[in-house]
Amino acid sequence: MHELMHRLWPICRSITGEGVRETLSILAEKLPELKVHEVPTGTRCFDWIIPKEWHIRDAYVIGPEGNKIIDFSINNLHVVNYSTPIDMDISLDDLQANLHSLPEQPDAIPYVTSYYKETWGFCLSHETRMSLVAGNYHVHIDSELKSGSLSYGEIILPGKSEQEIFVSTYVCHPSMANNELSGPCVTAKLAEWLRTRDRRYSYRIIFVPETIGAICYLSKHLEHLKENVIAGYVITCVGDDRAWSFMPSRNGKTTGDNMARHVLKHMAPAFKEYSFLDRGSDERQYCSPGVDLPVSSIMRSKYVTYPEYHTSLDNLEFVTATGLEESYLVYQKLFESIETNCVPITTVLCEPKMSERGLRPTTGKLGSADSGRAMMNLLAYADGSNTLLEIAEIINEPVWELRKLADMLAEVQLLGIQ
Amino acid sequence: MHELMHRLWPICRSITGEGVRETLSILAEKLPELKVHEVPTGTRCFDWIIPKEWHIRDAYVIGPEGNKIIDFSINNLHVVNYSTPIDMDISLDDLQANLHSLPEQPDAIPYVTSYYKETWGFCLSHETRMSLVAGNYHVHIDSELKSGSLSYGEIILPGKSEQEIFVSTYVCHPSMANNELSGPCVTAKLAEWLRTRDRRYSYRIIFVPETIGAICYLSKHLEHLKENVIAGYVITCVGDDRAWSFMPSRNGKTTGDNMARHVLKHMAPAFKEYSFLDRGSDERQYCSPGVDLPVSSIMRSKYVTYPEYHTSLDNLEFVTATGLEESYLVYQKLFESIETNCVPITTVLCEPKMSERGLRPTTGKLGSADSGRAMMNLLAYADGSNTLLEIAEIINEPVWELRKLADMLAEVQLLGIQ
Amino acid sequence: MHELMHRLWPICRSITGEGVRETLSILAEKLPELKVHEVPTGTRCFDWIIPKEWHIRDAYVIGPEGNKIIDFSINNLHVVNYSTPIDMDISLDDLQANLHSLPEQPDAIPYVTSYYKETWGFCLSHETRMSLVAGNYHVHIDSELKSGSLSYGEIILPGKSEQEIFVSTYVCHPSMANNELSGPCVTAKLAEWLRTRDRRYSYRIIFVPETIGAICYLSKHLEHLKENVIAGYVITCVGDDRAWSFMPSRNGKTTGDNMARHVLKHMAPAFKEYSFLDRGSDERQYCSPGVDLPVSSIMRSKYVTYPEYHTSLDNLEFVTATGLEESYLVYQKLFESIETNCVPITTVLCEPKMSERGLRPTTGKLGSADSGRAMMNLLAYADGSNTLLEIAEIINEPVWELRKLADMLAEVQLLGIQ
């Protein structure tokens, strides 16, 4: 994953344009099911309209001494995303109105966008900004805003059931690592694993520009998604190893929410659950009134909460191989757990005579194996009103361990599994 | 309000009689809609019967040395309310059986009533009582119990809707300030404000003797009240500035309860919520089984809980102009909030494109205005299942501020309001 | 009860055989309604089959020096319950495989059973075991496993209603006091009291071997029990005076559970409520899926939680006369409380005029009698939606005290009782 991330790093993505296409084409190399869709500029998507495509070729500022003091080719955060073209001389005073920096993080270049208001601008570290001297500057942005399309990638992996697990990640930020590339990289590895797996549920995995891409996708597939999605996740900010975070769906109590909490409780018990009021990614669309999909999000350090967020410091050092790998494993366990969930129902009244089935020791001494106890607890709650997840929560065992016991019991006909 | 209170202070009110009538007629001066109703002695009201009217002209005790040592004309608490007439010589020993004082508050005259058992008595400070010397006393009570009627005042202010907000306050205590006069004074000012206001709901405001008056009123209007009242409040103990108290309805979860809590949370967050088990005023009747009106009570220092309660120390010094004014403002905000409550429903799927509607800045930088955030939260929960109050609680904003945002959103057709 | 316990103490009970029959016949002396039922070996009971009967006459081990070093006639825990017959010489090394002791409680003889796997063994204190010297031993168990039957006792005490209170206790452990004899002894005394009482509900009281007996009983009476039992209790571990414990039913919120908690809260407020996950007696069967009887358990020191459990230290010193008596009184109060529970409904709207009914003082002074307050609270919640127990919980009064007030109110026609 870290390798893929290095390859995607230098590409200047935005919500439209060649950066997204190049990103999707690299992802498609290992994911043959990935289809790229193009939605033309001007297409209406609910309250939104697909904007013009943005093309950026070069951007720089030349200082009074004739040097390039800001250069897009060094860091693509230097240009305000969706900047209109410009090429002119300008005094420092006038230039200041189009510069963006962070006085409180003087060594970081901020990430600034202006998708829907036509303007231009440059981002730079506050240190650099402070060092600028009065004089004549030259600004140059070789960009273009023209009719084109919005691009997104979609992978459909059919399962035994038409019910779907939905995964959404975004591909619209330029060189940022945790709040961007960690999402598509972990998602790609999950897709690689899922495509070779025997699947109970179908999987729908999309790589979209944030906000406009999610809205565009919903506008085309809302009815289908509402009918089929049983759980969904926005995969973002899954690359560092500082924290574990959970953003519930607006509903907060769907099976998808509860399974995510369950997996985190057993695999990363120190995770922090945020309020839906702290939302910030595409759950804003997926959980909006009338859409109401069961979409939540397991993250590492959540967007907005870490100081490197939306700056040049959210880079390949902040994200670690361990962070990515752990996130992958947690989502893998999450999907396995959803697949393994079921409604177990006992087949006999009263406790069964376990000793005859070779499932536990026959001498009734003090102290019994934990697995024996868990097995009896599973039977005690398998009354058809509880899912395996609900039983796992009652008896405080991981659902994946409990499923093994359920399968043992099913094998000796003590449990029916629905 | 403090002025009105001074005017009402000297009147010797009781549950019937001229004291109530005089009080109502003073209130009517500024409230032309106030109608006084008379219910004859002997009228049955559920389990109760309207008692004889009590008239009190004078009452005193003359000591062995020939001085008036207890004098009703100095403080009307000195006579047990509803005392029968008496005029006789009596030894101190025999007199003691008809005296009431508070050993633990030796400088306070207690307030004692005997509405339904014919007896007579005098109340005095324990200090005075202790100073009485053996000897011959003369007791004189010039009172009368005779057929007449129970009086109450009623104001009906029609609104656009037949649904009603019900307000009940009582006018049956003699000279006591917080637990009596603060109620009718704040209520009168609220009525003055409400009568000139454009009203969504109708308002029914009654000034009744406590208990028997509330029961009498219910016996005449129960069906109408059950059908129309959406929220009601007993306004009492709203004059001091020591504390804020909330007495919920028996149900405890009506809109009227929740709105009162909401207003207190934002305007007086240190308020104390009592249990319905601590009830003591007319919510006892309004919330009784089979009546079940949504009646609760916002108070300052709650009856029974403050040491001055039901004594001569509950006076015009204990009640302050500030205390009255703040109570008025809180009830005003409460009625406004009930009027402003609604069910907002988004008109578009997904988040709307706010930038086009001039409702928030277009540059997607770190940090956004709080009102912008609150607006998006309002839209996120406006799914038609939540009232504005419920959304206000979820996102922890005052409902009156949220209504302003809702109106802005409705103006640009992003929200429907029901 | 302590006396009865002394009489039952020496009997070597097991899940079948003469020990149970002798125990039941002693119990029957004072309980003429007790019927003993026999269920033949080989009878299927859900997943179980009634085993062969176990008869034990003698068992000992003779050491290298010719002394009986382990002797069943001294303590019947010395032989593994359900041991097959044996009579042979054996080396210490080989004998060790059939010995059971507790290294952590070196002076206690453990209680070990092997009902369903044919084997033999001896139990001894770890001290004794450590003192054994190498050499030739002789083991002798004069036992027999043969076709016969499982015995249990049943008492049916009809009441006015066909609805039943179900009591189950067990009679299958040899000489152990808290976790065995306390149960049948307290139950017998409760039955003695109940049989002479005017009963609203019918009582079904069974003395069964644990697990197999409960399952056997359910297999014969399940439909009847499901239809009629409104509350049930497993009476076990009710003899010591160290603690109070509550084991809820699996459902946890039945009237039987709530009444048990209520009685404990008022009579033994320091009681500990366990989770159903800590279950260990016949609630395992009574609350199993598809059986779902409302069976819970009030205990003193709960099985497994006290160090003497399942050892020779759970003896007649551990159990006290006080412990037994208190347990009896709590269950007695529990049954009385269930009988006394009802749905009270007020007969008048608003508060009734109490002063006319001689139920409270007529002078409205500060401070009123607690019983007066409780009476008004009872009326305030007697709206037909609350049981007396629920009202008792709301107003925090014992349901038995509240019933007295309800009866007073019913007598003056202020309350209807359903």
Side-chain angles (χ1 to χ4, degrees):
Chain A
M1 285 179 285
H2 220 240
E3 194 181 337
L4 174 61
M5 194 178 284
H6 274 87
R7 219 173 133 200
L8 297 173
W9 175 259
I11 303 171
C12 181
R13 280 163 295 273
S14 180
I15 54 171
T16 63
E18 288 309 321
V20 186
R21 287 190 195 101
E22 194 182 339
T23 300
L24 292 174
S25 108
I26 291 171
L27 291 169
E29 288 172 16
K30 289 196 177 167
L31 299 168
E33 292 86 354
L34 190 148
K35 280 190 192 150
V36 177
H37 298 266
E38 301 283 348
V39 184
T41 297
T43 305
R44 172 161 284 278
C45 307
F46 300 133
D47 198 46
W48 299 64
I49 287 166
I50 301 299
K52 289 183 188 158
E53 243 186 79
W54 184 56
H55 291 263
I56 175 79
R57 282 174 291 265
D58 200 5
Y60 52 78
V61 176
I62 293 177
E65 289 158 25
N67 310 331
K68 278 192 187 174
I69 55 158
I70 304 176
D71 187 351
F72 167 76
S73 70
I74 292 173
N75 190 320
N76 55 33
L77 295 183
H78 275 313
V79 69
V80 167
N81 210 292
Y82 256 70
S83 277
T84 47
I86 191 112
D87 187 62
M88 67 170 187
D89 288 342
I90 189 168
S91 71
L92 177 58
D93 275 3
D94 291 347
L95 177 58
Q96 290 289 7
N98 290 64
L99 294 185
H100 304 271
S101 65
L102 299 168
E104 293 178 8
Q105 287 176 282
D107 59 337
I109 307 165
Y111 165 55
V112 179
T113 69
S114 185
Y115 300 136
Y116 300 104
K117 184 182 169 194
E118 296 201 355
T119 184
W120 62 270
F122 286 91
C123 303
L124 69 170
S125 73
H126 204 62
E127 284 168 358
T128 305
R129 188 176 189 169
M130 288 297 98
S131 71
L132 298 184
V133 294
N136 206 28
Y137 286 75
H138 185 81
V139 294
H140 175 82
I141 299 180
D142 179 9
S143 70
E144 206 177 350
L145 278 171
K146 61 176 182 186
S147 268
S149 58
L150 175 146
S151 319
Y152 67 82
E154 180 191 48
I155 298 174
I156 310 272
L157 301 172
K160 293 191 187 68
S161 162
E162 295 200 348
Q163 290 191 308
E164 291 183 0
I165 295 175
F166 175 60
V167 176
S168 177
T169 190
Y170 49 84
V171 286
C172 57
H173 292 61
S175 299
M176 280 180 299
N178 193 39
N179 183 39
E180 169 79 10
L181 290 176
S182 69
C185 290
V186 167
T187 302
K189 185 156 180 204
L190 286 164
E192 276 190 83
W193 167 69
L194 284 165
R195 60 188 293 275
T196 63
R197 201 180 181 273
D198 194 34
R199 293 175 299 270
R200 173 175 171 195
Y201 294 114
S202 300
Y203 286 78
R204 178 178 295 263
I205 301 166
I206 65 172
F207 302 82
V208 292
E210 210 178 4
T211 306
I212 182 72
I215 293 169
C216 172
Y217 195 82
L218 284 169
S219 75
K220 289 168 159 292
H221 299 283
L222 183 60
E223 286 318 304
H224 180 90
L225 294 168
K226 288 186 80 159
E227 212 167 295
N228 294 288
V229 171
I230 59 157
Y233 302 94
V234 172
I235 301 191
T236 176
C237 297
V238 285
D240 71 305
D241 50 18
R242 275 193 211 151
W244 285 97
S245 310
F246 178 57
M247 168 59 57
S249 73
R250 184 164 70 101
N251 174 306
K253 293 173 182 172
T254 70
T255 300
D257 289 293
N258 291 336
M259 196 60 97
R261 287 185 189 99
H262 180 80
V263 168
L264 283 169
K265 187 171 77 173
H266 287 284
M267 294 188 72
F271 80 96
K272 172 167 182 181
E273 176 159 347
Y274 286 87
S275 157
F276 188 69
L277 297 177
D278 300 315
R279 71 198 177 283
S281 185
D282 283 334
E283 66 281 350
R284 282 154 40 216
Q285 316 310 328
Y286 298 133
C287 300
S288 62
V291 174
D292 292 318
L293 294 175
V295 172
S296 57
S297 197
I298 290 179
M299 292 165 280
R300 308 303 304 259
S301 291
K302 179 187 162 287
Y303 41 76
V304 184
T305 67
Y306 58 98
E308 296 85 350
Y309 172 74
H310 268 201
T311 75
S312 55
L313 302 179
D314 185 350
N315 56 28
L316 297 174
E317 278 169 46
F318 178 55
V319 161
T320 66
T322 313
L324 291 166
E325 180 68 14
E326 288 172 346
S327 299
Y328 167 71
L329 292 174
V330 159
Y331 269 105
Q332 192 178 49
K333 188 64 89 183
L334 175 57
F335 296 154
E336 282 176 344
S337 296
I338 296 172
E339 297 243 329
T340 219
N341 198 16
C342 60
V343 177
I345 307 180
T346 57
T347 58
V348 301
L349 290 162
C350 293
E351 289 186 337
K353 192 151 179 298
M354 301 303 278
S355 56
E356 277 189 355
R357 290 176 170 91
L359 295 173
R360 73 167 188 184
T362 50
T363 309
K365 249 197 187 175
L366 271 176
S368 64
D370 280 356
S371 69
R373 189 78 188 170
M375 201 175 258
M376 297 314 286
N377 283 337
L378 167 54
L379 286 167
Y381 287 94
D383 62 4
S385 81
N386 296 313
T387 62
L388 196 67
L389 171 59
E390 286 162 342
I391 298 174
E393 283 293 318
I394 293 169
I395 74 179
N396 202 24
E397 299 284 352
V399 70
W400 50 92
E401 296 299 333
L402 211 53
R403 179 63 195 239
K404 291 179 199 161
L405 299 182
D407 288 340
M408 284 174 65
L409 290 166
E411 214 166 285
V412 294
Q413 270 84 47
L414 287 180
L415 212 57
I417 288 179
Q418 286 180 353
Chain B
M1 285 178 287
H2 219 239
E3 195 181 337
L4 175 61
M5 194 178 284
H6 274 87
R7 220 173 133 199
L8 298 172
W9 174 260
I11 303 170
C12 181
R13 281 162 294 274
S14 179
I15 54 172
T16 63
E18 289 308 322
V20 185
R21 287 191 195 99
E22 194 182 338
T23 300
L24 293 174
S25 106
I26 290 171
L27 291 169
E29 289 172 15
K30 289 196 180 168
L31 299 168
E33 292 86 354
L34 191 148
K35 281 188 192 152
V36 177
H37 299 265
E38 300 282 349
V39 184
T41 298
T43 306
R44 171 160 286 277
C45 307
F46 300 134
D47 197 46
W48 299 64
I49 287 165
I50 301 298
K52 290 184 187 155
E53 244 185 78
W54 185 57
H55 292 261
I56 175 77
R57 283 173 290 267
D58 200 5
Y60 52 78
V61 177
I62 294 176
E65 288 157 27
N67 311 330
K68 279 193 186 172
I69 55 158
I70 304 177
D71 187 351
F72 165 77
S73 72
I74 292 173
N75 190 320
N76 57 30
L77 295 184
H78 276 313
V79 69
V80 166
N81 210 292
Y82 256 70
S83 277
T84 48
I86 191 111
D87 187 63
M88 66 170 186
D89 288 342
I90 187 168
S91 72
L92 178 58
D93 274 3
D94 291 348
L95 177 58
Q96 290 288 7
N98 291 65
L99 294 185
H100 304 271
S101 65
L102 299 168
E104 294 178 6
Q105 287 175 281
D107 59 338
I109 307 165
Y111 165 56
V112 179
T113 69
S114 185
Y115 301 135
Y116 300 104
K117 186 182 169 194
E118 297 202 355
T119 183
W120 62 270
F122 286 91
C123 304
L124 68 172
S125 73
H126 203 64
E127 285 169 358
T128 306
R129 188 176 190 168
M130 287 298 97
S131 71
L132 299 183
V133 294
N136 206 27
Y137 286 76
H138 184 79
V139 295
H140 175 81
I141 298 180
D142 178 7
S143 70
E144 205 177 348
L145 277 171
K146 62 176 182 186
S147 269
S149 58
L150 173 145
S151 319
Y152 67 83
E154 179 191 47
I155 298 175
I156 311 273
L157 301 173
K160 293 191 187 68
S161 163
E162 296 199 348
Q163 291 191 307
E164 290 183 0
I165 295 175
F166 175 60
V167 176
S168 178
T169 190
Y170 49 83
V171 285
C172 57
H173 292 60
S175 299
M176 279 180 299
N178 193 40
N179 183 41
E180 170 78 9
L181 290 176
S182 69
C185 290
V186 167
T187 303
K189 185 156 180 204
L190 285 165
E192 277 190 82
W193 166 70
L194 283 165
R195 60 188 293 275
T196 63
R197 198 181 185 274
D198 194 33
R199 293 175 300 270
R200 172 175 171 195
Y201 294 114
S202 300
Y203 285 77
R204 179 177 295 263
I205 301 167
I206 64 173
F207 302 81
V208 293
E210 210 178 5
T211 305
I212 183 69
I215 292 169
C216 172
Y217 195 82
L218 282 170
S219 75
K220 290 169 159 291
H221 299 282
L222 183 59
E223 285 320 304
H224 179 91
L225 293 168
K226 290 186 77 160
E227 210 166 299
N228 294 289
V229 171
I230 59 157
Y233 302 93
V234 173
I235 301 191
T236 176
C237 297
V238 285
D240 70 304
D241 50 19
R242 274 194 213 151
W244 285 97
S245 311
F246 177 58
M247 168 58 60
S249 74
R250 184 163 70 101
N251 173 306
K253 295 173 182 171
T254 70
T255 299
D257 290 292
N258 290 336
M259 196 59 97
R261 287 185 188 101
H262 180 79
V263 168
L264 283 169
K265 188 171 76 173
H266 288 284
M267 293 188 73
F271 81 97
K272 172 168 182 182
E273 176 159 347
Y274 285 87
S275 156
F276 187 70
L277 298 176
D278 300 315
R279 71 198 176 284
S281 186
D282 283 333
E283 66 281 350
R284 282 154 41 215
Q285 315 310 329
Y286 299 132
C287 299
S288 62
V291 175
D292 292 318
L293 294 175
V295 173
S296 57
S297 197
I298 290 179
M299 291 165 282
R300 308 305 303 259
S301 291
K302 179 187 162 287
Y303 40 77
V304 184
T305 66
Y306 60 97
E308 296 86 349
Y309 173 73
H310 267 201
T311 77
S312 56
L313 302 180
D314 184 351
N315 56 28
L316 296 174
E317 279 169 45
F318 178 55
V319 161
T320 65
T322 313
L324 291 165
E325 179 70 13
E326 288 172 345
S327 300
Y328 167 71
L329 291 174
V330 159
Y331 269 106
Q332 193 179 47
K333 187 64 88 183
L334 175 57
F335 296 154
E336 282 177 341
S337 297
I338 296 172
E339 297 243 328
T340 218
N341 198 16
C342 60
V343 177
I345 307 181
T346 56
T347 58
V348 299
L349 290 163
C350 292
E351 290 186 336
K353 191 151 178 298
M354 302 302 278
S355 57
E356 277 190 356
R357 289 174 172 92
L359 296 172
R360 74 167 184 182
T362 49
T363 309
K365 250 197 186 174
L366 272 177
S368 65
D370 280 356
S371 69
R373 188 79 188 170
M375 200 175 260
M376 297 315 287
N377 284 337
L378 167 54
L379 287 168
Y381 286 95
D383 62 3
S385 80
N386 297 312
T387 63
L388 196 67
L389 170 60
E390 287 161 340
I391 298 174
E393 283 293 318
I394 293 169
I395 74 180
N396 202 25
E397 300 284 353
V399 70
W400 50 92
E401 296 298 333
L402 211 53
R403 179 63 194 240
K404 291 179 199 161
L405 299 182
D407 288 341
M408 282 174 66
L409 289 167
E411 215 165 283
V412 294
Q413 269 85 49
L414 287 181
L415 213 58
I417 288 180
Q418 287 181 353
Chain C
M1 286 179 286
H2 220 240
E3 196 181 334
L4 174 62
M5 195 179 281
H6 274 86
R7 220 175 132 200
L8 297 173
W9 174 261
I11 303 170
C12 181
R13 281 162 295 274
S14 180
I15 55 172
T16 62
E18 289 308 323
V20 185
R21 287 191 194 99
E22 195 180 341
T23 300
L24 293 173
S25 107
I26 291 171
L27 292 169
E29 288 172 15
K30 291 196 177 167
L31 298 168
E33 292 86 354
L34 190 148
K35 281 190 191 151
V36 177
H37 298 266
E38 300 282 349
V39 183
T41 297
T43 305
R44 171 161 285 276
C45 307
F46 300 133
D47 197 46
W48 300 64
I49 287 166
I50 301 298
K52 289 183 186 158
E53 245 187 75
W54 185 56
H55 291 263
I56 175 77
R57 283 174 290 265
D58 200 4
Y60 52 79
V61 176
I62 293 178
E65 287 158 28
N67 310 331
K68 278 193 187 173
I69 55 159
I70 304 177
D71 188 351
F72 167 77
S73 73
I74 292 173
N75 190 321
N76 56 31
L77 295 183
H78 275 313
V79 69
V80 167
N81 209 293
Y82 257 71
S83 278
T84 47
I86 190 108
D87 188 62
M88 66 171 188
D89 289 342
I90 187 168
S91 71
L92 178 57
D93 275 2
D94 290 348
L95 177 58
Q96 290 288 9
N98 291 65
L99 294 185
H100 303 272
S101 66
L102 299 168
E104 293 178 6
Q105 285 174 283
D107 60 337
I109 307 165
Y111 165 54
V112 179
T113 70
S114 185
Y115 300 137
Y116 301 104
K117 184 183 169 191
E118 296 202 355
T119 184
W120 62 270
F122 285 91
C123 303
L124 69 170
S125 73
H126 204 63
E127 285 169 358
T128 306
R129 188 175 190 170
M130 288 298 98
S131 71
L132 299 182
V133 294
N136 206 27
Y137 287 76
H138 186 79
V139 294
H140 175 82
I141 299 179
D142 179 9
S143 70
E144 205 176 350
L145 278 171
K146 62 176 181 186
S147 269
S149 58
L150 174 145
S151 319
Y152 68 82
E154 180 191 48
I155 298 174
I156 311 272
L157 301 172
K160 293 191 187 69
S161 163
E162 296 199 348
Q163 291 191 305
E164 291 184 0
I165 295 175
F166 176 60
V167 176
S168 177
T169 190
Y170 49 84
V171 285
C172 58
H173 292 61
S175 299
M176 279 180 299
N178 193 40
N179 182 41
E180 169 80 9
L181 289 175
S182 69
C185 290
V186 167
T187 303
K189 187 157 180 204
L190 286 165
E192 276 190 83
W193 166 70
L194 284 165
R195 60 189 292 276
T196 63
R197 199 180 184 274
D198 194 35
R199 292 175 300 271
R200 172 175 171 195
Y201 294 114
S202 300
Y203 287 77
R204 177 177 297 262
I205 301 166
I206 64 172
F207 302 82
V208 292
E210 209 180 6
T211 306
I212 182 72
I215 293 169
C216 172
Y217 194 81
L218 283 169
S219 75
K220 288 168 160 292
H221 300 283
L222 182 60
E223 286 318 306
H224 179 91
L225 294 168
K226 289 185 78 159
E227 211 166 299
N228 295 289
V229 171
I230 59 155
Y233 302 93
V234 173
I235 302 190
T236 176
C237 297
V238 285
D240 71 305
D241 51 18
R242 274 194 212 152
W244 286 97
S245 311
F246 178 57
M247 169 58 58
S249 73
R250 184 163 69 100
N251 174 306
K253 294 173 183 172
T254 70
T255 299
D257 290 292
N258 290 337
M259 197 59 99
R261 286 186 190 100
H262 180 79
V263 168
L264 283 169
K265 187 171 77 173
H266 288 284
M267 293 187 73
F271 80 96
K272 172 168 181 180
E273 175 159 349
Y274 285 88
S275 157
F276 188 70
L277 297 177
D278 299 316
R279 72 199 177 281
S281 186
D282 283 334
E283 67 282 350
R284 280 155 41 215
Q285 316 310 328
Y286 299 133
C287 300
S288 62
V291 175
D292 292 317
L293 294 175
V295 172
S296 57
S297 197
I298 290 178
M299 293 166 279
R300 308 305 303 260
S301 291
K302 179 187 162 286
Y303 40 78
V304 184
T305 67
Y306 59 97
E308 296 86 349
Y309 172 72
H310 268 202
T311 76
S312 55
L313 302 179
D314 184 351
N315 57 28
L316 297 174
E317 280 169 44
F318 178 56
V319 162
T320 66
T322 312
L324 291 165
E325 181 69 12
E326 289 173 344
S327 300
Y328 166 73
L329 292 174
V330 160
Y331 269 107
Q332 193 178 47
K333 188 63 89 184
L334 175 57
F335 296 154
E336 282 177 342
S337 296
I338 296 172
E339 298 242 328
T340 218
N341 199 15
C342 59
V343 177
I345 307 181
T346 57
T347 58
V348 300
L349 289 163
C350 293
E351 289 186 339
K353 192 151 177 298
M354 301 302 279
S355 56
E356 277 190 356
R357 291 176 169 90
L359 296 173
R360 73 165 186 185
T362 50
T363 308
K365 249 196 187 175
L366 273 177
S368 66
D370 280 357
S371 69
R373 188 80 189 169
M375 199 174 261
M376 296 315 286
N377 283 337
L378 167 54
L379 287 168
Y381 287 94
D383 61 4
S385 80
N386 297 313
T387 63
L388 197 67
L389 170 59
E390 286 162 341
I391 298 174
E393 283 293 319
I394 292 170
I395 74 180
N396 202 24
E397 299 285 352
V399 70
W400 50 93
E401 296 299 334
L402 211 53
R403 179 62 194 241
K404 292 179 198 161
L405 300 182
D407 288 341
M408 283 174 67
L409 290 167
E411 214 165 283
V412 294
Q413 270 84 49
L414 287 180
L415 212 57
I417 287 179
Q418 287 182 352

